[in-house]
């Protein structure tokens, strides 16, 4: 049983959660964002990176690989750490949350991307920094600036 399913506590609410968001890119300046669907944990209808919570005993790379496979059916070609940070927000029900995140740039083959969790992902799209969709996830700019600084996106 994962910690998020345990009745004694919920990751990010009763204890700090660790998330591993990934900016998927094609190596040519374009990157993928996904629009959060009706069963997403929060910020439904907003555009966001691929992300997932670490499971106990799983490495950071294993978390990235699992989330990419589950959410988008794709294997990473290259993984690069960009930045760490934290988010303090509230759930739709008003509960305070606390997450630590480890942001990575992940090169993928765009032709292999599919939506693996349509209940959580309404749609996906490839963008550049000049063609960003709206509305964006509330935490988007905290991590995206590091991808711009690293030259991963244009």
């Amino acid at each position: 049983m994962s910690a998020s399913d345990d009745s004694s506590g919920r990751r990010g609410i009763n204890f700090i959660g660790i998330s591993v968001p990934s900016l998927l890119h094609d190596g040519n300046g374009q990157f993928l964002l996904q629009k959060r669907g009706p069963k997403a944990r929060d910020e439904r209808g907003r555009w966001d990176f691929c992300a997932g919570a670490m499971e106990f005993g799983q490495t950071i790379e294993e978390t990235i690989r699992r989330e990419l496979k589950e959410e988008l059916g794709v294997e990473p070609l290259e993984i690069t750490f960009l930045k760490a940070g934290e988010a303090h927000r509230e759930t739709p029900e008003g509960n305070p949350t606390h997450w630590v995140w480890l942001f990575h740039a992940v090169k993928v083959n765009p032709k292999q991307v599919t939506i693996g969790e349509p209940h959580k992902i309404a749609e996906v799209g490839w963008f550049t920094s000049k063609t960003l969709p709206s509305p964006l996830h509330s935490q988007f700019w905290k991590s995206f600036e590091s991808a711009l600084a690293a030259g991963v996106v244009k």
Side-chain angles (χ1 to χ4, degrees), residues 127-138:
F127 302 95
T128 68
S129 60
K130 300 201 184 331
T131 63
L132 291 172
S134 182
L136 294 168
H137 189 280
S138 66

Side-chain angles (χ1 to χ4, degrees), residues 60-132:
I60 294 167
E61 183 174 333
E62 288 169 343
T63 300
I64 292 169
R65 289 181 178 280
R66 174 181 49 81
E67 288 298 328
L68 266 60
K69 195 66 163 167
E70 289 174 3
E71 292 184 8
L72 300 164
V74 69
E75 293 283 339
L77 301 174
E78 181 180 303
I79 300 172
T80 306
F81 174 75
L82 294 176
K83 182 178 181 179
E86 62 184 322
H88 296 268
R89 300 182 299 148
E90 287 187 358
T91 66
E93 301 78 30
N95 295 314
T97 68
H98 185 182
W99 287 86
V100 171
W101 47 264
L102 307 168
F103 188 57
H104 291 75
V106 180
K107 184 177 177 181
V108 299
N109 180 344
K111 294 177 183 173
Q112 293 179 343
V113 173
T114 60
I115 296 176
E117 295 182 327
H119 56 291
K120 292 183 182 177
I121 303 169
E123 64 182 288
V124 297
W126 288 90
F127 302 95
T128 68
S129 60
K130 300 201 184 331
T131 63
L132 291 172

Side-chain angles (χ1 to χ4, degrees), residues 12-52:
I13 296 175
N14 299 104
F15 54 91
I16 298 170
I18 300 174
S19 179
V20 186
S22 299
L23 180 136
L24 277 61
H25 66 93
D26 65 359
N28 295 311
Q30 291 197 91
F31 57 92
L32 182 129
L33 293 177
Q34 54 193 44
K35 189 173 189 179
R36 296 171 71 84
K39 300 280 184 170
R41 177 187 351 231
D42 57 17
E43 301 205 40
R44 295 169 192 99
R46 293 185 174 269
W47 290 89
D48 195 11
F49 307 109
C50 176

